[in-house]
C-alpha cells in the first residue's frame, strides 16, 4: 500500500499506509491522526481536513476542483499555495511517499 | 395550497426476504422512546418492511450510508417524505434542492454551498459568538429557565433570522412553518394533517419573505438572489432556495441545541469535561447531533429494481432511512449509547451523507459551538429541575420543555 507521511505541527512524523482508492483523509482518521477533523465525513463541505502538501511534491497531485478552491478560502489555519483538502486527495500508487504537513487548527 | 388526497396504497405482501415489522415510527410511543425499537429494527435485518406504511426501511449504519450515497438509485425528486410525488400532488411546490436529483440539484446546491461556505462562517462568527454570550449571561442571571424556550429557541432566533436578512415583523411564523415542513415528511397522520390545515398564514408569510425586496442586503437571502445576476439560477428559483433556508435552518438547530443541553444536563461527567476545556464545545455539539439525531428520518424512492442487503426492492418503492438508528449502530460505533464529547464523530449521519448532506451544517456547528462554549465558561452547573416534556414531530426529535437550574461560574 502507498505510504503517506503526516508531519504534526510539533514536527513529529507518522508514516501511514493507505489503500489505493481511499482518500488521505480516510487514511488519517482511521489511524487516529487527530489534526484531521473531517467534520463533514469527506463530502467536501467543511474544510476541516486541511493539509499543506510538501512544496516539492504539490505537482504530483491532480489539480483541485473549483469547489475545493472555494472551500480552502475558509480554512481556520492560513491558506498557503500548497493547501489542499485531504478528503479530495485520492491515494494512488503514484502518490507513494507523499508528505503532508498538518495545520495547528481546523476550526 | 392543495391538501393532498392520499391514495390508499395496495396492501402487498412484502418480498419474502425482508422481515416484516408492524412498528409505526410516526407514533407517540415511538417518539417517546425510539431506541429499543431502533435496536429491534437493526437486529431484524439489513432491510425491513414496515407493514403499517408499506415501505422498506434501513436502520443499520452500512445500509443507511449506502442509500444516502447512491442517489441515482435512491432518488429525492419523488419526495423525501412518505408521499410519492410521482403519484400524489406535493403539499407545496417541491424544494429545488432537497427534493431534486442531479443535474438539477447540482446547480442549486452549488449556490447554497457558496452562500453558506466556510469563508462566510468566518465573517459571521464574531456576531454569533457575541449573541451566544448574551443569551447565556441572561439565563445565568435568571437561574431557573426552560432550556428549550429560553436557550434552544431563543438563541437561534436571535441570530439566524437576522443572518438571513428577514425583517422583524412576522418572525413568530418561522417555527410553526418549520414544524409543518418536518411533519409533512411523515405519513398522513394527525400530526401531518393538522399542521397542513393550519398552514395557510405561515405559508403566506414565508412566501413573502423569500422575495428579493423583503431581504436585507448582505444577508444569506440576498446572497442567494445575487446568484440570479450571475446567471446560475433564475429569478423564479431564488425565492424557493431562500425558502429552503427558512424551512431547514431554524427548527433543526433548535433541536440540535436542545439535544446538547439535555445531554449535558443528564451526563454531569461530560459537563465537567466541557467546563475543564471549553475548546471541546464544538465536538460536544456534534456528538449531541449523533446521540439524539434531531433529524430522525428521511425517505428515498427507488428509480429501478435494486438489491439491498440481500433484499430485492422493486422500482418506485419508498425506502425509509433511520438516521438516529444508524448513529447508534454498534456495528459502527463503540459504546453507541454513551454521550462522549471527545468521541471521533466524523462519519455520523445526523447531517446526512453524500450529495444532499446538510448544506447548512456549518451554520449549525457554529451556533452549537459558540453557545456551548459560552455555557462552559459562564456556568458552573446545569441540572434538570422539573418534568421534561417531549415534542412530537414526524421528523424532528426534541423537547417541548426542559426545566433547568443553572448556577453561574
Ligand atoms: C443541527 C442542525 C441540522 C441538522 C441535524 C440537519 C440535518 C439535515 C439532514 C439530515 C439533511 C439531509 C437531507 C437528505 O439527505 O435528504 C439536511 C439537508 C439540508 N439542510 Fe440541514 N440540518 C441542520 C441544520 C441546517 C441549517 C442551519 C440549514 C440552513 C442554514 C440547513 C439547510 C439544509 C438544506 C437546504 C438541506 C438540503 C440539502 C440538499 O438536499 O442538498 N440545515 N439537513
Ligand atoms: S472532510 Fe470535510 S471537506 Fe474534507
Amino acid at each position: 500500500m502507498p505510504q503517506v507521511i503526516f508531519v504534526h505541527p510539533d514536527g513529529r512524523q507518522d508514516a501511514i499506509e493507505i489503500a489505493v482508492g481511499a482518500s488521505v483523509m480516510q487514511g488519517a482518521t482511521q489511524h487516529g491522526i487527530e489534526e484531521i477533523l473531517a467534520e463533514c465525513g469527506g463530502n467536501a463541505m467543511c474544510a476541516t481536513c486541511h493539509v499543506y502538501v510538501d512544496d516539492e511534491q504539490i505537482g504530483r497531485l491532480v489539480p483541485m476542483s473549483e469547489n475545493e478552491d472555494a472551500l480552502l478560502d475558509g480554512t481556520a489555519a492560513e491558506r498557503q499555495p500548497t493547501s489542499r483538502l485531504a478528503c479530495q486527495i485520492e491515494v494512488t500508487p503514484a502518490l507513494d511517499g507523499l508528505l503532508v504537513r498538518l495545520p495547528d487548527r481546523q476550526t | 395550497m392543495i391538501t393532498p388526497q392520499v391514495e390508499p396504497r395496495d396492501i402487498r405482501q412484502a418480498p419474502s426476504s425482508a422481515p416484516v415489522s408492524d412498528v409505526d415510527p410516526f407514533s407517540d410511543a415511538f417518539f417517546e422512546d425510539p431506541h429499543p425499537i431502533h435496536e429491534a429494527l437493526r437486529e431484524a435485518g439489513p432491510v425491513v418492511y414496515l407493514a403499517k406504511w408499506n415501505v422498506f426501511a434501513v436502520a443499520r449504519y452500512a445500509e443507511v450510508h449506502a442509500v444516502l450515497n447512491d442517489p441515482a438509485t435512491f432518488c429525492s425528486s419523488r419526495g423525501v417524505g412518505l408521499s410519492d410525488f410521482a403519484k400524489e400532488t406535493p403539499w407545496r411546490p417541491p424544494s429545488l434542492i432537497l427534493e431534486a436529483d442531479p443535474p438539477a440539484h447540482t446547480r442549486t446546491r452549488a449556490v447554497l454551498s457558496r452562500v453558506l461556505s466556510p469563508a462566510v462562517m468566518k465573517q459571521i462568527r464574531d456576531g454569533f459568538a457575541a449573541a451566544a454570550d448574551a443569551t447565556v449571561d441572561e439565563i445565568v442571571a435568571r437561574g431557573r429557565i426552560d432550556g428549550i424556550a429560553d436557550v434552544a429557541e431563543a438563541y437561534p432566533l436571535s441570530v439566524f433570522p437576522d443572518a438571513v436578512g428577514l425583517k422583524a415583523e412576522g418572525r413568530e411564523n418561522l417555527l410553526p412553518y418549520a414544524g409543518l415542513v418536518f411533519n409533512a415528511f411523515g405519513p398522513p397522520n394527525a400530526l401531518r394533517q393538522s399542521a397542513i390545515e393550519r398552514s395557510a398564514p405561515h405559508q403566506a408569510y414565508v412566501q413573502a419573505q423569500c422575495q428579493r425586496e423583503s431581504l436585507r442586503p448582505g444577508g444569506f437571502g440576498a446572497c442567494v438572489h445575487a446568484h440570479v445576476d450571475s446567471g446560475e439560477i433564475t429569478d423564479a428559483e431564488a425565492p424557493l432556495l431562500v425558502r429552503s433556508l427558512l424551512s431547514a435552518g431554524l427548527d433543526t438547530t433548535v433541536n440540535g441545541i436542545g439535544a446538547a443541553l439535555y445531554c449535558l444536563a443528564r451526563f454531569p461527567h461530560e459537563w465537567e469535561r466541557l467546563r475543564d476545556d471549553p475548546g471541546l464545545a464544538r465536538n460536544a455539539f456534534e456528538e449531541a447531533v449523533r446521540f439524539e439525531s434531531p433529524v430522525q428520518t428521511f425517505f428515498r424512492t427507488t428509480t429501478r429494481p435494486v438489491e439491498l442487503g440481500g433484499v430485492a426492492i422493486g422500482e418506485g418503492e419508498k425506502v425509509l432511512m433511520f438516521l438516529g438508528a444508524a448513529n447508534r449502530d454498534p456495528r459502527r460505533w463503540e459504546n453507541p449509547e454513551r454521550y462522549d464529547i471527545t468521541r471521533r464523530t466524523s462519519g455520523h449521519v445526523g447531517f446526512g451523507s453524500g450529495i444532499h448532506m446538510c448544506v447548512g451544517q456549518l451554520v449549525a456547528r457554529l451556533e452549537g459551538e459558540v453557545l456551548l462554549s459560552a455555557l462552559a465558561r459562564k456556568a458552573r452547573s446545569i441540572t434538570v429541575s422539573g418534568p421534561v416534556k417531549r415534542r412530537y414531530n414526524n421528523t424532528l426529535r426534541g423537547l417541548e420543555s426542559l426545566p433547568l437550574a443553572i448556577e453561574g461560574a
Side-chain angles (χ1 to χ4, degrees):
Chain A
M1 276 194 266
Q3 231 184 28
V4 176
I5 299 145
F6 293 86
V7 184
H8 297 272
D10 64 4
R12 267 181 312 121
Q13 294 198 0
D14 276 317
I16 285 174
E17 298 200 330
I18 305 178
V20 169
S23 71
V24 169
M25 178 284 279
Q26 286 169 328
T29 50
Q30 277 156 20
H31 289 86
I33 302 283
E34 299 207 335
E35 291 89 343
I36 299 290
L37 281 188
E39 286 179 338
C40 79
N43 284 291
M45 289 169 202
C46 70
T48 66
C49 63
H50 179 203
V51 294
Y52 303 115
V53 177
D54 182 55
D55 291 347
E56 317 269 280
Q57 299 192 44
I58 187 79
R60 296 172 72 186
L61 301 189
V62 180
M64 67 177 91
S65 68
E66 232 178 273
N67 182 44
E68 181 176 347
D69 193 5
L71 283 169
L72 283 166
D73 285 337
T75 53
E78 195 195 344
R79 178 176 185 173
Q80 294 177 7
T82 58
S83 286
R84 293 296 299 261
L85 296 178
C87 71
Q88 300 304 300
I89 308 175
E90 187 183 320
V91 173
T92 61
L95 285 187
D96 187 32
L98 183 74
L99 186 140
V100 300
R101 286 173 223 287
L102 297 159
D104 58 359
R105 52 193 298 244
Q106 295 282 7
T107 63
Chain B
M1 286 296 136
I2 308 143
T3 310
Q5 286 303 307
V6 178
E7 298 168 30
R9 307 179 71 189
D10 294 341
I11 305 291
R12 290 150 305 164
Q13 283 299 310
S16 53
S17 51
V20 180
S21 162
D22 58 5
V23 161
D24 180 4
F26 305 100
S27 61
D28 293 358
F30 191 89
F31 300 144
E32 277 300 333
D33 191 11
H35 303 300
I37 309 175
H38 282 161
E39 188 185 351
L41 290 169
R42 278 193 307 260
E43 296 314 312
V47 177
V48 294
Y49 192 78
L50 301 183
K52 170 88 184 167
W53 302 111
N54 291 315
V55 294
F56 291 88
V58 287
R60 294 185 185 172
Y61 181 88
E63 279 72 27
V64 169
H65 191 266
V67 170
L68 285 167
N69 283 281
D70 184 1
T73 307
F74 301 97
C75 80
S76 291
S77 60
R78 288 171 72 168
V80 296
L82 176 67
S83 169
D84 182 352
F85 294 177
K87 297 179 185 151
E88 294 168 30
T89 310
W91 70 275
R92 62 170 189 175
S95 163
L96 297 181
I97 177 164
L98 181 72
E99 293 156 335
D101 295 325
H105 170 265
T106 315
R107 193 169 50 87
T108 50
R109 169 89 195 186
V111 168
L112 283 194
S113 300
R114 245 160 311 141
V115 170
L116 303 170
S117 72
V120 172
M121 295 307 112
K122 280 186 172 175
Q123 295 161 16
I124 62 171
R125 188 181 172 91
D126 290 348
F128 273 48
D133 281 3
T135 299
V136 172
D137 283 338
E138 199 200 309
I139 58 160
V140 167
R142 285 172 52 193
R144 290 196 157 245
I145 57 138
D146 189 319
I148 303 306
D150 301 329
V151 189
E153 293 181 355
Y155 174 61
L157 280 169
S158 78
V159 286
F160 188 72
D162 285 338
V164 174
L166 300 180
K167 55 175 190 265
E169 307 86 70
R171 290 180 180 186
E172 67 282 0
N173 283 289
L174 288 168
L175 286 177
Y177 182 75
L180 155 72
V181 168
F182 284 98
N183 269 323
F185 293 125
N189 57 11
L191 277 174
R192 182 178 200 267
Q193 301 311 77
S194 74
I196 290 176
E197 276 158 28
R198 287 180 279 118
S199 68
H202 312 313
Q203 292 208 60
Y205 162 80
V206 165
Q207 204 190 343
Q209 304 323 304
C210 291
Q211 308 306 314
R212 193 166 201 164
E213 58 277 11
S214 306
L215 294 157
R216 177 184 59 78
F220 298 154
C223 291
V224 171
H225 280 277
H227 287 269
V228 174
D229 306 334
S230 55
E232 287 154 282
I233 47 172
T234 67
D235 53 8
E237 290 171 327
L240 275 173
L241 285 177
V242 177
R243 193 192 70 179
S244 289
L245 302 182
L246 301 187
S247 305
L250 192 63
D251 213 359
T252 47
T253 56
V254 166
N255 286 292
I257 292 170
L261 289 176
Y262 191 33
C263 284
L264 292 167
R266 265 178 304 169
F267 306 114
H269 179 66
E270 298 304 300
W271 164 249
E272 285 308 324
R273 293 172 79 198
L274 177 61
R275 276 194 69 215
D276 287 347
D277 181 2
L280 295 174
R282 196 172 171 95
N283 207 57
F285 176 73
E286 197 73 25
E287 168 70 344
V289 174
R290 178 199 70 85
F291 189 79
E292 288 290 356
S293 300
V295 173
Q296 283 275 303
T297 47
F298 272 121
F299 289 85
R300 294 292 189 260
T301 313
T302 53
T303 57
R304 60 177 177 91
V306 60
E307 199 184 296
L308 179 67
V311 171
I313 304 179
E315 183 275 337
E317 296 289 345
K318 283 280 173 181
V319 179
L320 176 59
M321 302 174 290
F322 285 100
L323 307 179
N327 280 340
R328 290 187 182 209
D329 183 353
R331 292 164 190 78
R332 169 64 176 78
W333 306 98
E334 233 169 87
N335 296 323
E337 313 299 322
R338 189 162 165 242
Y339 174 69
D340 171 3
I341 68 169
T342 54
R343 182 191 294 276
R344 273 206 92 110
T345 50
S346 176
H348 79 78
V349 291
F351 288 111
S353 178
I355 63 166
H356 290 279
M357 190 188 187
C358 185
V359 76
Q361 58 184 281
L362 305 179
V363 179
R365 286 196 192 100
L366 173 60
E367 288 183 20
E369 175 189 351
V370 295
L371 197 274
L372 295 190
S373 157
L375 208 57
R377 284 178 284 111
K378 292 169 184 284
R380 180 176 1 162
S381 71
I382 158 172
T383 42
V384 178
S385 61
V388 172
K389 213 175 138 219
R390 195 152 283 288
R391 182 176 287 174
Y392 298 153
N393 182 285
N394 281 331
T395 308
L396 295 174
R397 174 167 172 77
L399 300 176
E400 176 70 31
S401 173
L402 174 62
L404 291 176
I406 310 229
E407 270 183 320

